[in-house]
Amino acid sequence: MVDSAKIVSARGGAGAREEPLVTVEDESHPKALFATPELRWALIGTGAIANQMAQALLLADRHLVGVTNRTRAKADAFARRYGIERVYGSLDELLADPLVDAVYISTPHNTHIRFIRAALEAGKHVLCEKAITLDSAELDEARALAAEREVQLMDATTILHMPLYRELGRRARNGDFGALTLAQVNFGSFKEYGDLTNRFYNPRLAGGAMLDIGVYAITAARLFMASQPKEIVSLSTRASTGVDQSSGFVTRNAEGQLGVFSLTLHTKQPKRIDLCFEDCYIEIIDYPRADSAMVVWTSDGHREEIQAGRQEYALLYAVADLEAAVDGDRSRRELIGYTSDVMDIMTRLRFSWGIYYPEEAALARAAGVPVAGETT
C-alpha cells in the first residue's frame, strides 16, 4: 500500500475550479500508483500484450493469481515465465476460483464478448483490451450485465487511463485553453500483407484498422469534445480480405466541434494529435501511451510543455483505474461512457462501409451485403 504521506489530493466542490487530481510525489516504484484495496487478478490470453501486463503486475507487486489460454501448453509456459502459481485448464475453472477478483482479457477482438459475458456472470470485475467488443450492441449487453451483477467493466484503451490526458482534460474544463474547435488525429502503421490470416487483416479475427487503431484516435478526440459527435462523413479503402485498411472521416457534434481522422494499416504516418482550442493548440506525438504534450499559445507563439505520468506504466494506470472503480471512484466508473461513445462511432462507420464480421452475419443479411471476406 502506498504511503499516504506521499499522495497529494485536491478536490473542488460543486462549481469550483478543478484542482489537479491525485498526484504521486515519487513514482520511482510503480506501487506508488495504487491507493485502493488490492484485487487478485487472473489473465485470459497469453499474447504479446498479456506478457506486458504480467510484467507490469509483477513489477508493481500486484497479486497475479493465475492464467488460462486456449492452448494449455502456452499457458503452462507463460506461468513458468512469470512464476504464476495457477494455470487453469478452462475458462470455467478460472471463473469458479474464489481467489480471483478481476480478469484481464487480451484475446482477439471477436472473442471478447464471450469472455466478458462469462466473467461478469461469475461476478468478476473485467478489464478488457481494445477494442472492448465488436460493436455497440455487444457493449450495451456487457454494460447491462455488469450493472445487473454489480461488478465493474472497464476498457483498457490506454488513452482513457494515461495521467497526461487526465491533466489536459482538467485544464481544458477549467477553461485554460479556451473552447475546443477542432481535433485532428492520425494513426498509421505499416503491416505487411504477407500472411493475411494474421489478426490485422483477417475478418475471422475481427481485423481492420478501425478496431485495432481507430479506437485510439476516436478516444483521443472524444475525451476533449463537449458531446458525442452525431454527424459523420467518411471514405474507406478495404484490404483484399474485406476489412478496412485505410480511412478518412470527419465528425461534428452539436457544439460544432470537428474531429478529422486518418487511419491506415499499410502506410506509416505519425501517431499525432492536434487539439485546436481558441487560445492555443496542443500537439501530442505517439499518443496512445503519451506522457508529454506541447502547448503552442495563439497570442505570442510561446510553448509550454505539459508532462504527466510515465509511458512504461501505461498498463498499470488501467489496472489502478479498475481497482479505483471497484473501490467506488465515480470518475473511473464513468470512463465506460466514453467507451460507449467511441464504440458507437466505430460501429456506425464500419457498417456505413458495409463491413460486417462473421459474428454480425444477421446484420449483414439485413443490410443486403456479405460479411467481410465473402462474396454474394
Side-chain angles (χ1 to χ4, degrees), residues 130-147:
K130 56 82 186 173
I132 190 170
T133 57
L134 289 187
D135 54 41
S136 292
E138 287 187 354
L139 182 54
D140 289 345
E141 175 196 347
R143 290 190 66 182
L145 184 56

Side-chain angles (χ1 to χ4, degrees), residues 62-254:
R62 307 312 282 173
H63 197 155
L64 181 51
V65 174
V67 62
T68 192
N69 189 68
R70 182 173 58 86
T71 304
R72 176 62 186 254
K74 291 183 178 179
D76 287 335
F78 189 96
R80 287 193 297 271
R81 186 178 306 127
Y82 298 110
I84 300 171
E85 181 179 349
R86 289 176 173 82
V87 176
Y88 302 101
S90 68
L91 177 65
D92 289 343
E93 184 182 341
L94 182 158
L95 297 178
D97 189 346
L99 292 180
V100 175
D101 299 315
V103 299
Y104 171 68
I105 300 170
S106 61
T107 55
H109 303 139
N110 59 326
T111 65
H112 287 178
I113 188 60
R114 175 165 60 90
F115 295 129
I116 290 171
R117 188 185 292 125
L120 295 176
E121 287 278 10
K124 309 299 186 185
H125 306 291
V126 173
L127 177 65
C128 185
E129 261 307 320
K130 56 82 186 173
I132 190 170
T133 57
L134 289 187
D135 54 41
S136 292
E138 287 187 354
L139 182 54
D140 289 345
E141 175 196 347
R143 290 190 66 182
L145 184 56
E148 176 187 331
R149 298 295 181 178
E150 298 184 338
V151 289
Q152 295 302 309
L153 171 66
M154 187 167 284
D155 177 1
T157 301
T158 51
I159 290 168
L160 291 168
H161 310 289
M162 294 299 293
L164 176 68
Y165 295 101
R166 196 163 291 143
E167 173 60 12
L168 291 174
R170 179 191 69 82
R171 290 191 59 178
R173 289 188 296 273
N174 280 342
D176 292 4
F177 308 135
L180 178 75
T181 59
L182 171 70
Q184 184 164 318
V185 192
N186 302 332
F187 198 127
S189 294
F190 183 79
K191 306 299 182 185
E192 296 279 1
Y193 286 135
D195 178 8
L196 292 179
T197 64
N198 68 57
R199 71 177 184 86
F200 298 110
Y201 295 113
N202 189 344
R204 296 194 176 278
L205 295 177
M210 182 55 64
L211 292 189
D212 192 63
I213 61 178
V215 62
Y216 290 121
I218 300 170
T219 300
R222 177 63 188 93
L223 283 176
F224 295 93
M225 290 183 169
S227 66
Q228 167 75 333
K230 297 301 182 184
E231 297 177 84
I232 307 176
V233 294
S234 70
L235 288 172
S236 176
T237 298
R238 297 193 191 197
S240 62
T241 57
V243 301
D244 60 301
Q245 172 186 292
S246 304
S247 63
F249 50 98
V250 179
T251 69
R252 183 168 62 185
N253 62 12

Side-chain angles (χ1 to χ4, degrees), residues 275-286:
L275 298 169
C276 302
F277 296 87
E278 290 177 338
D279 298 335
C280 64
Y281 70 85
I282 301 174
E283 184 178 62
I284 310 171
I285 305 297
D286 290 333

Side-chain angles (χ1 to χ4, degrees), residues 302-324:
H302 84 272
R303 293 171 174 264
E304 173 193 355
E305 185 175 11
I306 297 176
Q307 295 182 318
R310 294 172 61 169
Q311 290 183 9
E312 58 266 39
Y313 293 165
L315 296 181
L316 288 179
Y317 293 126
V319 171
D321 278 352
L322 188 282
E323 294 193 356

